[in-house]
Structure formats: structure tokens, C-alpha cells
Amino acid sequence: MESRRWHIIAGFSILFITYAVVLLNIQVFSTNYKTRAEANIVERVVEYPLRGMIYDRNGKLLASNAAVFDVMIVPKYFKIEEEDSVVLAGMLDYTMEELRYNIKKSKYYSWYKPSVLKKQLTETEYAKIQDKIIRFKGLSIQARTIRSYPHQSLANALGYVKEVSKAFLDRDTAGYYQSGDLIGKSGVEKFYEEELRGQRGVSYIMKNVKGVTKGSFEDGKFDTIPRVGATLTSSIDLDLQKYGEDLMVNKKGAVVALDPNTGEILAMISAPSYDPNQLTGEGKRVSKNYGGLSRDKNKPLFNRAMQSRYPPGSTFKTVMALIGLQKGAIDTLTTYFSCNKRLVGCHDHKTPLNVAGSIINSCNPWYYQEIRRLLDDEGKRYETSDVLRQTLDTWREEVKGYGLGVKLGVDMPYEKGGLVPSSNLYDRIYKGGGWKISTIHSISIGQGEVLAMPIQLANLGAIIANRGHYYTPHIIKDIGGEGPLQQYKVKHQVDVKPEYVDHIARAMSEVPRIGTARRAFSNDLVICGKTGTAQNPHGEDHSIFMGFAPLDKPQIAIAVYVENAGFGGTWAAPIASLMMEKYVNGEVKRPYLEKYVYNGDLIAKEEARKEKERLLKERREKQKARMKELQAKRAQQAAQQDSIRVTTSTDE
């Protein structure tokens, strides 16, 4: 018994000493439990960084930040009487139902973590309530910023930002974003999201039971400082951008202008466009604006410059000529083809023509005959052969070398790659065979299955301007003082001799002077270009121009598409020439041409044409209905007469 007594005493002694050590550690030595104990009066405040600014090439601000204020709620500490609920709802411009719904939503999110009760009050709205909001326990104000665009330009290229959705947060494996964060949804804002967003900071502040701030927790030991997003300098010339947008008013289409020496995008216009400030912030106003823009039949949210796949039309003849010269199928001195309109339609011009003449006069039969030389299977023009399949696929790879049929790698999302047909495509279309040169010859003049984006044609202009090389087009030339991304510094060489490209370039310089783009001619600048007219089964043809200026030491390459506008020399060429003159010379000395372009309301013209077609169709349907009604009436009368004859015959 004596031994057992000492064992019990020793056991209790050890247990007492263990508890004493643990309690001493908790109350004296360890701050961890102290921190947890004080958590009820420590508020975690997220400090959102300023999103990076975006400037044009001349230092003009394109995208900045505007201050807004979120009303935050922590449900655990939020208690309110019914009469105060009415006051709070009025302060936040909520109905009672909306207030109850948002409080319930915050409780569902977390009882202990702050969430947004009212989003993005403006400075004026915040000033009206800042002295009143502190009386409500569990509520606080969190300052943040939203995007602001000083100019109503470049909407499609800049893009917009939007609050992250729950679906996105569920997919965010990196775990960076939180509810309420903003993220780039399109354009530059999306492509350079990681550079622009910066890094959030967090601060911990102590409050008493009345919600009054007492200072930093642990002297800011656990605080982190927010890091501002990188400043981006774009290659856009804002003056040229605005000028091009003015020229494209009341027109549908796209304009892309590049600096051929660097691949920098000087202007990117998608028309019609919209004011980028319509999609800044959150709330009913933005939702309404987005809904209206997305339903607009003219598709202002659609970036035609990078996403619309158009037939390149006769601008593609420059590629055909260069491939033919490089492969030796044609030459600059002795190759002449006649304008044989029995092969394919063409306009009137002198004939026969050499390579330069085919560019200047845009001769369709010339390229019908050239593609026979390039792809013909030993003269067997009326059957599909393995040699024809092989030569077509070889030709396709050569065309892709000019940046067509592939994605260029522009620093914006949603770029499309165009289309250059292969033998496999034609085998699928014609179910294993049955196609031949006479079937596919339209690809030689940029029709048929050949499709390209305006930015690809602008890049083609840069290739010819550079006599055979290009840099990938890009819209950001500097990221935080470090220059552009590395891939935009790489020079891409096309497989073609510079002398062949120079020959085509000099032929293009004659197009505005004596060729198909006389409206683009300027006494003050040597403009080189090629017109195109793309067939459109849904209305008037599309007007196209691709070119550069000046002929020697080019400074700008450009492509213009104007939908439903007819010949390339009618609308696209004048717009392109005005923009080139504006950029190179700094001013335009052809006010008569500006007036002509400004006064062109092609959207209204196209709508009038469609309305006329609709009325005509309606009239025809009514005529058909009347004819059917008349025929039915005549058939009924004939039947009645037959019945009378039968009755009379029976009576007799």
C-alpha cells in the first residue's frame, strides 16, 4: 500500500508539472495563442494594388485607374435593428429585399471573413455616407480602383476588365484570385494580366468592441505591402488611331497599321466600336451596357482586325507573283500572259501583261494561267492526281511562309489563323477526288477557300516593304522599362529573293498612279499598294487595300477592309492613303478626299439595300400568294362549270 501511495503521488505530480509547463508556455512564452485570442478584435484588410497604366507610343495615357469604395461586412459582428435596416438600405440605394439578400449572401460566404455588401461606390457616393457608416458594427469601407479610359478609342484592342466569377475561382488552381478581384477579359488587359494586376497587400488592424481602430496589429509585423502593376507602353499612335476611327465612322470593317521596321502596331481599328468606359466597374449599368453591345447587330465587341476571316481578294496576287518568281515558274522579263476573259472574268485593260503589269492592272486571267504552271500535273487539267495533290500542298506551305493561314502570335487573345486550302480539304469537299485546276483556280486571286485577317494582310505589306522579312506584329513595345517580350524581337525571313520583292514593290507604287487605286494617289508621298475586291454572298463585295509607304525606307504598312463597299479602289484605298499620309507627313493635304470618306455612310446604304431586298421579296411572296389564290379560284370555277355540264347532260 505504501508503494502504491507513492506511485499515485508521483503520477499526479508529473501531470501537474506538465500542465504547469503548458500553461506557462501559452500565457508567457508563446504569442501564437495570444494572436488567436486577439483574433476577435483584429481585422484583416486587403490592400488592392493599382493596376498598371497603359500609354501610347508618345506618352499619352490610354488606361488608368479610378478610385471606388466597397462597403464590407463581417456577419459575426453585424447586428442591426429593423428601423436601422431601413436607414442602411437608403444609404446603400438598396430595397429592403436587396439588403436582406446581400446580408444572407455574405453569411453564406463566411461568418468571420469580410465580404462585399455594396460594390464600388464612387467618391461622391462615399462622401455622403462615410460619417454614417461607422455607427453600424461589422461594416467597414475598403478602397480599391477600377479601370478608367481617358479616350473613347482603341476599345477592342485594349479590352476590358471584369470581376472574377465563381466558376473561374473554382478553376483557379494557382489560388491567386479571390471573390471581388478584377481580371482582364479581352485585349491587352487579358493578354498582359499578370504584368498589369500587380500583387495584393494585406494589413492587420486592431479594433475595440465599438469598431474603433486602435492601430496596427503587432506593429505591422504581419503586414505585406501591395506591389503596383507594371506600366505598359503601347506602340499605338493615338492621333493616327483617332483619325482612322473617324474615317471608319458609319462603316463596318477593320484597319491595321504597322511599323514594318519593328512589327509594332501603330493603329488597330475595328468598326463599329464602342466607348471602353461602358464596361468599367460592376453593377446594373455595366450589365445593361454589355447586354446591349452583345446584342448589337453590328457586333462592336467583335475585333474584326484579328478575328474576321475575309477572302484577301486581289491583294493575294502579290503572294502568287512572289511564289511564282521564287520557284522559277515565271520571270520578270519574258513572262507575258494575255487577259483571256474566257478563262475568268476581268476588267478592261491592255494585254498581254508581264508580272508588273498584272499587279498594276490586277488581271485575273493572268493568275489563272500562272497557277496552271505552278500546280499543273503534266498538262492533265481535268483530273485529280497525286502530283497535283503534292504541288498544291507544297504551294500551301509556301503561302504560309508569308504569315497567311497561320496564327502570327500577336500579343492579344482570340487571334484566328485564316485558311489556306490543302489537298485533304478538297478531298473532303469533293469526297475523295474529282477536283482539278479548273475547280480550284479561284484561290490564285484570293477567292474560294483562301481566308485571311486584316492583321495578316498588314503583315504582308510589311514583308514587301522590308523586301522579304517581318517581325511578329505586337501592340506593347515596353513592359516596365524592359522592352517588349522576347518573341517580338525575332526577325522572320521569308523564302524569297529580295530583288523579286523589290520588283513587286515597285509595281505596287504604280497602282495608285496608273492602276486600280487612282483615288489613293498623292503628290506628296509615294504610296505602294494593291487593291482587292472580295466577293460576298450576303451583299455588296468587300473593299480591300494592302500597302505601305514610302517606297524607299518605308515607315508604315497598312491593310484596310471595308465591308459591303464594292471595289477596293473605291473606299479601302482612299482610307489607307489618308492614314499613310497622316502618319508619314504629319498632315493631310487632300481635304476633298477626306470629305468624300467622312460623308460615306455605308452602313445606312447597306441597310437600305437589305430593306429594299426585303420589300422586294415580300412583294414577290404576295404575288405568288395571289397567283396561287387566283389559280385555286379558277380551278374552283372550272370544277363548278364541269358540275353544271354534267347536271345539264343528265337532265337531257
Side-chain angles (χ1 to χ4, degrees):
M1 291 295 294
E2 184 69 20
S3 175
R4 184 178 297 177
R5 183 169 69 86
W6 283 108
H7 281 117
I8 293 172
I9 292 173
F12 274 104
S13 298
I14 293 171
L15 184 64
F16 175 79
I17 293 170
T18 301
Y19 271 110
V21 170
V22 171
L23 289 173
L24 184 66
N25 181 55
I26 291 174
Q27 296 181 7
V28 179
F29 298 109
S30 176
T31 60
N32 184 42
Y33 293 96
K34 179 184 177 184
T35 300
R36 293 184 183 181
E38 292 176 341
N40 290 332
I41 59 171
V42 175
E43 182 177 334
R44 181 179 183 271
V45 179
V46 176
E47 296 185 21
Y48 288 90
L50 291 174
R51 196 169 176 86
M53 304 285 200
I54 305 175
Y55 293 88
D56 90 330
R57 67 189 301 111
N58 299 312
K60 295 177 181 177
L61 191 60
L62 297 177
S64 59
N65 302 294
V68 292
F69 303 87
D70 292 341
V71 178
M72 309 298 291
I73 180 173
V74 180
K76 176 178 172 58
Y77 306 119
F78 181 75
K79 294 179 178 61
I80 192 169
E81 301 295 334
E82 185 65 27
E83 59 271 19
D84 289 335
S85 296
V86 177
V87 175
L88 181 59
M91 288 170 52
L92 301 181
D93 194 25
Y94 276 155
T95 63
M96 286 302 296
E97 290 74 17
E98 289 174 328
L99 179 63
R100 292 190 187 103
Y101 170 78
N102 282 283
I103 293 173
K104 184 178 179 181
K105 184 179 176 181
S106 66
K107 290 177 179 178
Y108 177 77
Y109 170 71
S110 174
W111 270 85
Y112 302 95
K113 295 180 180 179
S115 58
V116 179
L117 180 63
K118 177 72 174 183
K119 293 179 181 178
Q120 299 178 3
L121 298 174
T122 65
E123 290 180 319
T124 303
E125 292 169 334
Y126 171 58
K128 292 178 181 179
I129 69 167
Q130 61 177 333
D131 294 333
K132 304 173 185 176
I133 203 75
I134 59 174
R135 60 181 275 201
F136 297 96
K137 293 181 181 180
L139 297 187
S140 61
I141 297 293
Q142 181 170 277
R144 61 188 307 177
T145 59
I146 60 171
R147 229 27 177 171
S148 175
Y149 303 97
H151 308 280
Q152 297 179 7
S153 293
L154 207 67
N156 292 97
L158 287 174
Y160 64 95
V161 297
K162 191 176 182 181
E163 184 177 322
V164 294
S165 64
K166 184 179 184 302
F168 176 85
L169 291 174
D170 292 340
R171 298 191 308 268
D172 182 24
T173 56
Y176 173 83
Y177 293 95
Q178 300 175 5
S179 179
D181 283 354
L182 299 178
I183 187 171
K185 299 297 289 184
S186 68
V188 171
E189 298 279 18
K190 179 177 176 64
F191 190 91
Y192 288 96
E193 167 65 17
E194 290 189 16
E195 289 82 3
L196 287 167
R197 73 188 182 190
Q199 184 66 44
R200 280 191 303 266
V202 177
S203 61
Y204 296 88
I205 57 175
M206 296 178 61
K207 290 186 175 183
N208 62 18
V209 292
K210 294 183 179 181
V212 178
T213 300
K214 305 298 291 182
S216 297
F217 175 68
E218 291 283 336
D219 295 324
K221 177 181 177 181
F222 301 100
D223 295 356
T224 57
I225 300 174
R227 180 172 56 82
V228 177
T231 296
L232 303 185
T233 301
S234 80
S235 55
I236 293 293
D237 185 308
L238 185 59
D239 292 337
L240 182 67
Q241 177 76 23
K242 286 183 174 180
Y243 183 62
E245 289 176 349
D246 290 342
L247 294 175
M248 289 294 289
V249 167
N250 295 324
K251 303 168 186 69
K252 285 195 286 187
V255 181
V256 179
L258 306 174
D259 181 347
N261 302 293
T262 59
E264 294 170 0
I265 298 172
L266 302 171
M268 177 175 280
I269 299 156
S270 180
S273 186
Y274 62 97
D275 180 355
N277 290 296
Q278 289 181 272
L279 299 181
T280 58
E282 292 291 330
K284 295 179 181 178
R285 179 188 66 84
V286 174
S287 298
K288 182 180 179 181
N289 289 342
Y290 184 83
L293 291 170
S294 61
R295 290 189 297 270
D296 191 323
K297 62 183 179 181
N298 291 319
K299 300 181 179 180
L301 293 174
F302 184 64
N303 189 352
R304 288 172 164 86
M306 292 178 53
Q307 294 174 279
S308 278
R309 305 203 305 175
Y310 301 100
S314 292
T315 61
F316 189 69
K317 292 172 182 175
T318 58
V319 177
M320 288 295 298
L322 290 169
I323 292 174
L325 290 170
Q326 183 67 17
K327 289 180 70 68
I330 57 175
D331 63 61
T332 59
L333 297 176
T334 64
T335 301
Y336 281 81
F337 291 131
S338 62
C339 182
N340 185 353
K341 295 180 184 178
R342 289 176 298 177
L343 299 174
V344 61
C346 195
H347 44 272
D348 294 327
H349 55 77
K350 67 178 183 178
T351 183
L353 299 170
N354 57 14
V355 178
S358 74
I359 295 293
I360 296 168
N361 295 284
S362 196
C363 180
N364 293 334
W366 202 98
Y367 288 93
Y368 184 103
Q369 294 168 86
E370 187 214 6
I371 200 169
R372 280 181 172 176
R373 285 196 181 183
L374 283 172
L375 305 183
D376 203 357
D377 178 13
E378 300 176 359
K380 298 175 183 176
R381 295 190 291 272
Y382 306 106
E383 61 184 58
T384 308
S385 68
D386 291 337
V387 174
L388 179 56
R389 287 188 175 93
Q390 182 179 347
T391 54
L392 178 66
D393 291 338
T394 300
W395 169 85
R396 179 175 183 262
E397 292 304 311
E398 289 163 345
V399 172
K400 287 166 64 177
Y402 288 84
L404 302 174
V406 294
K407 291 182 180 180
L408 292 170
V410 184
D411 54 346
M412 279 180 281
Y414 313 126
E415 177 191 3
K416 290 187 177 178
L419 176 65
V420 180
S422 65
S423 61
N424 287 333
L425 175 62
Y426 285 125
D427 283 342
R428 289 198 301 272
I429 294 173
Y430 296 97
K431 297 180 181 178
W435 56 275
K436 44 194 177 293
I437 292 292
S438 58
T439 309
I440 66 172
H441 69 84
S442 61
I443 62 176
S444 66
I445 56 173
Q447 294 287 168
E449 291 70 34
V450 179
L451 298 172
M453 270 67 64
I455 195 165
Q456 292 178 326
L457 286 195
N459 188 61
L460 175 59
I463 290 172
I464 301 173
N466 292 333
R467 307 313 194 257
H469 71 267
Y470 70 95
Y471 294 88
T472 302
H474 54 284
I475 198 168
I476 297 300
K477 61 181 293 186
D478 183 80
I479 305 171
E482 300 295 325
L485 297 174
Q486 187 60 38
Q487 62 263 37
Y488 301 120
K489 301 176 184 178
V490 179
K491 181 178 178 180
H492 302 280
Q493 190 70 46
V494 179
D495 183 21
V496 63
K497 292 181 179 179
E499 55 264 35
Y500 294 152
V501 189
D502 186 67
H503 187 80
I504 298 303
R506 295 188 181 281
M508 290 170 64
S509 70
E510 297 295 313
V511 172
R513 193 175 70 85
I514 60 174
T516 57
R518 292 181 180 86
R519 277 184 173 169
F521 179 74
S522 170
N523 287 314
D524 299 312
L525 181 66
V526 180
I527 293 172
C528 307
K530 181 70 192 77
T531 58
T533 306
Q535 294 179 0
N536 174 27
H538 308 293
E540 290 287 335
D541 293 340
H542 300 321
S543 178
I544 314 168
F545 185 88
M546 175 274 295
F548 63 93
L551 173 62
D552 299 311
K553 297 183 179 179
Q555 299 177 41
I556 182 173
I558 195 167
V560 178
Y561 269 86
V562 186
E563 296 181 16
N564 313 121
F567 295 114
T570 306
W571 288 103
I575 291 171
S577 69
L578 287 170
M579 290 188 66
M580 287 190 279
E581 184 179 350
K582 172 80 171 177
Y583 183 74
V584 176
N585 294 341
E587 61 178 338
V588 175
K589 296 182 179 179
R590 294 177 290 169
Y592 62 90
L593 191 60
E594 284 184 313
K595 183 178 179 181
Y596 162 76
V597 174
Y598 285 142
N599 291 340
D601 190 345
L602 302 184
I603 291 180
K605 182 180 177 182
E606 179 64 11
E607 288 177 350
R609 185 194 65 78
K610 288 181 178 179
E611 179 64 15
K612 185 178 179 180
E613 280 189 355
R614 187 189 67 79
L615 293 173
L616 184 60
K617 183 179 178 181
E618 189 177 284
R619 189 182 308 158
R620 287 172 179 168
E621 288 175 351
K622 286 181 179 179
Q623 288 175 347
K624 288 180 180 179
R626 283 198 297 268
M627 287 295 293
K628 287 182 179 179
E629 185 180 338
L630 183 59
Q631 288 171 356
K633 189 174 181 181
R634 287 174 178 172
Q636 185 179 8
Q637 289 174 348
Q640 289 174 351
Q641 289 175 357
D642 290 341
S643 176
I644 292 171
R645 290 193 192 99
V646 170
T647 304
T648 304
S649 177
T650 303
D651 292 342
E652 291 175 352

